[in-house]
Amino acid sequence: MHKFKHLPEPFRIRVIEPVKRTTREHRETAILNAGMNPFLLDSEDVFIDLLTDSGTGAITQNMQAAMFRGDEAYSGSRSYYKLADAVKNIFGYQYTIPTHQGRGAEQIYIPVLIRKREKDKGLKKDKMVVFSNYFFDTTQGHSQVNGCTVNNVYTKEAFDTGINSDFKGNFDIEKLEQGIKDVGPENVPYIVSTITCNSAGGQPVSLNNLKEVYKIAQKYDIPVVMDSARFAENAYFIQQREKEYKDWTIEQITFESYKYADILAMSAKKDAMVPMGGLLCFKNDDYFDVYTDCRTLCVLQEGFPTYGGLEGGAMERLAVGLYDGMNQDWLSYRITQIEYLVSGLESVGVVCQQAGGHAAFVDAGKLLPHIPAEQFPAQALACELYKVGGIRAVEIGSFLLGRDPKTGKQLKSPAELLRLTISRATYTQTHMDFIIEAFEEVKKNASKIRGLTFTYEPAVLRHFTAKLKEV
């Protein structure tokens, strides 16, 4: 029914796990016990797990072999220098701090950049605003916990699932500069370029847009942080869609992209393919004072700066994974798999964001128009999808966006999306067909799906641990 464009799989599924088949009755009980939150389901109760690509799926043979070379010295491990050399070669960044994952990097650099802006520019903490094309959850959470107001300056077409555009992840350059002027440049401690832009549906950012953002940042002396979880995906889209770079390699595009930031923060559990790991890196001496302060915080919160929450073997694996994640055939395979799933869903009348990188994003607002944003239609859809097919997915909408930290008012997301994240080298075409068929069943009952309200709501990053019930 759904013809898949054949491409060779460069990496094999490394581990085959037994799958527990469950009944509809079992799944209805399981999701109720999980407080209508798929994050709180047990893995053994899930048939196809599309919750995240973070730390899931297969690693390459080279990565597996690299772990045996790990130097577990507490300080000055040769494995650290192998990782730092990879960062220099791939990104051109001179200073590297390993972290246990991306949020480890965020909890270090955010308070340090705020203090620097306060000292150097007279930042007023009650007026702090930070800008991004769209912050993802932990970056937003760490920013807000440190007192920042978050301003996402995305383009008008970014969340319109009826429009196709090559670079829906781009910044709106005019909104960015006007926002900086409105708040005062001294009150902007950093700008975050998120590549690819997860909250917009895994959508890429053009190299030209990154250049324009950096030009504005330099004009106002504001550091740019590259949120780099999916750096290779973004380079692939630039190669395919930005004509100036069609003959460039992924490696060349990646190196060029990172000229237009000052700091690199990465959850390495995505494009670098490791089960655990992160990076915080600095391009040159321009922010050497921030680097040294971050090293101090690393000791306190992560570990000694030359391991930072990672064992030697994990640093060796990450050093290889950064290279392997840029494999041209691998990227083509992954992104074609997303195109296949999106095409199949739309063929049965399920509207999606245009195919992007690591996931298919279903427009739950259009599928469930009777559920208002404050009753979280995409979360309700996630629960129904699990009941029907044992498929676990994640909401990217108002539930994730949360409340205004100053007023407590629920914020309305520009789109109510359900993310179906495809774990690397794990699922086959048959799995994609099963997902499409499950959505056909969900669609038949869509008008009867009910919205949700809280029974327990944490103050920060609530979507991970909140519990809800049907309205």
Side-chain angles (χ1 to χ4, degrees):
M1 178 180 174
H2 307 289
K3 188 177 179 182
F4 186 59
K5 181 181 176 183
H6 176 71
L7 283 170
E9 296 189 25
F11 308 125
R12 301 175 184 173
I13 298 173
R14 189 169 59 87
V15 177
I16 302 298
E17 296 181 10
V19 175
K20 180 180 178 182
R21 300 297 295 269
T22 58
T23 64
R24 168 89 188 216
E25 182 181 27
H26 176 93
R27 294 191 296 272
E28 287 180 349
T29 299
I31 196 67
L32 280 174
N33 290 340
M36 305 302 280
N37 188 347
F39 271 106
L40 303 181
L41 288 167
D42 290 336
S43 174
E44 66 176 8
D45 291 329
V46 176
F47 178 50
I48 299 178
D49 200 345
L50 309 182
L51 188 73
T52 178
D53 59 338
S54 183
T56 60
I59 66 172
T60 68
Q61 292 176 341
N62 287 340
M63 293 170 68
Q64 184 78 352
M67 292 191 68
F68 292 101
R69 296 194 295 266
D71 175 6
E72 306 304 335
Y74 184 89
S75 172
S77 160
R78 68 173 179 271
S79 298
Y80 166 78
Y81 293 109
K82 176 70 74 65
L83 177 58
D85 285 344
V87 168
K88 288 176 186 175
N89 291 336
I90 295 168
F91 305 106
Y93 281 41
Q94 300 304 305
Y95 303 109
T96 293
I97 300 173
T99 61
H100 79 283
Q101 56 178 312
R103 67 198 62 179
E106 291 165 353
Q107 72 173 342
I108 293 171
Y109 83 75
I110 287 174
V112 173
L113 286 179
I114 290 171
R115 286 199 298 269
K116 178 177 175 60
R117 201 76 180 171
E118 190 176 26
K119 176 184 175 184
D120 294 351
K121 303 291 184 181
L123 171 147
K124 294 180 173 60
K125 285 197 172 181
D126 61 338
K127 294 183 178 180
M128 287 189 298
V129 178
V130 289
F131 293 86
S132 180
N133 46 341
Y134 213 102
F135 286 95
F136 200 57
D137 53 8
T138 59
T139 327
Q140 174 178 303
H142 277 116
S143 298
Q144 291 174 334
V145 163
N146 281 278
C148 297
T149 297
V150 166
N151 192 339
N152 295 309
V153 286
Y154 47 87
T155 60
K156 62 182 180 181
E157 67 270 16
F159 291 93
D160 188 337
T161 54
I163 293 177
N164 282 354
S165 179
D166 284 344
F167 293 101
K168 277 190 167 186
N170 277 359
F171 282 78
D172 185 312
I173 296 299
E174 290 184 9
K175 286 183 182 176
L176 173 62
E177 183 156 25
Q178 188 58 53
I180 292 169
K181 289 177 180 177
D182 289 345
V183 70
E186 70 279 4
N187 294 316
V188 182
Y190 52 90
I191 296 167
V192 174
S193 295
T194 307
I195 58 169
T196 55
C197 191
N198 195 337
S199 294
Q203 297 300 308
V205 185
S206 73
L207 224 166
N208 185 57
N209 192 252
L210 293 174
K211 290 179 183 179
E212 291 179 342
V213 170
Y214 196 57
K215 184 178 178 180
I216 290 170
Q218 289 190 308
K219 178 179 176 180
Y220 297 106
D221 195 24
I222 301 169
V224 173
V225 181
M226 198 80 86
D227 184 334
S228 304
R230 296 176 177 90
F231 72 96
E233 267 183 16
N234 203 76
Y236 179 84
F237 282 114
I238 288 170
Q239 182 195 64
Q240 299 298 309
R241 298 180 181 178
E242 204 164 357
K243 60 183 180 181
E244 305 97 294
Y245 304 102
K246 64 183 179 66
D247 296 323
W248 289 39
T249 66
I250 299 299
E251 292 83 357
Q252 288 170 329
I253 293 169
T254 296
F255 193 88
E256 180 70 16
S257 297
Y258 279 82
K259 293 178 182 177
Y260 307 108
D262 304 293
I263 299 167
L264 176 167
M266 179 188 291
S267 170
K269 298 164 70 177
K270 283 84 171 178
D271 271 5
M273 303 194 293
V274 294
M276 182 60 71
L279 290 170
L280 177 61
C281 308
F282 297 79
K283 185 166 63 179
N284 52 37
D285 289 337
D286 289 352
Y287 287 91
F288 189 79
D289 55 340
V290 176
Y291 165 65
T292 55
D293 285 352
C294 285
R295 278 169 57 87
T296 300
L297 266 186
C298 183
V299 176
L300 182 65
Q301 297 178 345
E302 292 284 300
F304 193 78
T306 56
Y307 74 85
L310 294 179
E311 57 175 321
M315 288 190 286
E316 293 274 358
R317 179 177 59 195
L318 174 51
V320 174
L322 289 168
Y323 288 104
D324 282 1
M326 294 187 290
N327 180 290
Q328 180 82 37
D329 290 337
W330 164 239
L331 290 165
S332 296
Y333 163 72
R334 283 183 58 205
I335 290 166
T336 301
Q337 191 176 35
I338 301 301
E339 291 171 353
Y340 177 80
L341 179 56
V342 169
S343 176
L345 289 170
E346 293 199 324
S347 75
V348 300
V350 176
V351 177
C352 297
Q353 175 67 291
Q354 72 178 72
H358 55 285
F361 288 73
V362 171
D363 192 331
K366 288 184 177 177
L367 187 59
L368 306 177
H370 60 287
I371 300 180
E374 63 270 18
Q375 292 180 9
F376 314 129
Q379 186 75 4
L381 180 59
C383 294
E384 184 67 16
L385 180 64
Y386 173 73
K387 292 176 189 177
V388 168
I391 300 165
R392 175 158 63 173
V394 66
E395 191 261 15
I396 307 290
S398 296
F399 181 52
L400 180 146
L401 188 58
R403 299 182 184 274
D404 185 310
K406 294 181 179 177
T407 67
K409 184 179 179 181
Q410 172 64 49
L411 299 171
K412 186 178 185 302
S413 178
E416 304 295 339
L417 301 174
L418 180 68
R419 189 182 75 180
L420 311 171
T421 328
I422 308 304
S423 304
R424 57 189 172 272
T426 301
Y427 295 122
T428 65
Q429 180 182 344
T430 304
H431 291 95
M432 301 301 109
D433 289 335
F434 182 88
I435 296 162
I436 294 162
E437 291 172 13
F439 267 96
E440 286 187 278
E441 292 301 311
V442 169
K443 195 166 177 280
K444 292 175 185 177
N445 194 47
S447 63
K448 297 178 182 178
I449 298 172
R450 289 187 283 172
L452 302 170
T453 189
F454 287 104
T455 61
Y456 164 66
E457 181 182 7
V460 180
L461 295 173
R462 65 188 187 182
H463 54 291
F464 288 115
T465 57
K467 293 194 172 185
L468 306 102
K469 65 179 180 180
E470 290 181 331
V471 174

